[in-house]
Amino acid sequence: MKIKLGKYKHFKGGTYYVINTAKYSEDPKRDFVIYYQEGTPDDLWVRPLSMFQENVKRDGYDGPRFEYIGD
């Protein structure tokens, strides 16, 4: 599972920090991203890596769901 740890911008405008990745115990082939929204480091979120890295087409936007913007 490959993803840069650090700061990402969500296509809707929020800033998020990827802090780690994890395996799913019921299917170890599924990789997940662990992250939090800027300002709320105690509220962790998890999303499948494939979904985190996918492109989104919505409301005139066509690009990555999350875009890496730094460490």
Side-chain angles (χ1 to χ4, degrees), residues 15-55:
T15 302
Y16 294 83
Y17 293 88
V18 170
I19 59 170
N20 216 330
T21 56
K23 298 269 185 202
Y24 179 44
S25 63
E26 299 299 316
D27 183 0
K29 293 180 183 176
R30 290 188 70 190
D31 297 324
F32 287 80
V33 177
I34 302 168
Y35 62 101
Y36 66 89
Q37 187 171 16
E38 186 172 54
T40 60
D42 293 331
D43 293 336
L44 298 179
W45 294 86
V46 63
R47 182 185 295 261
L49 176 62
S50 59
M51 188 178 190
F52 193 92
Q53 294 179 323
E54 73 185 355
N55 280 340

Side-chain angles (χ1 to χ4, degrees), residues 11 56-64:
F11 79 99
V56 175
K57 290 183 181 183
R58 188 177 302 155
D59 300 326
Y61 175 79
D62 185 3

Side-chain angles (χ1 to χ4, degrees), residues 1 8 23 60 65:
M1 104 183 69
Y8 285 77
K23 298 269 185 202
R65 180 179 300 277

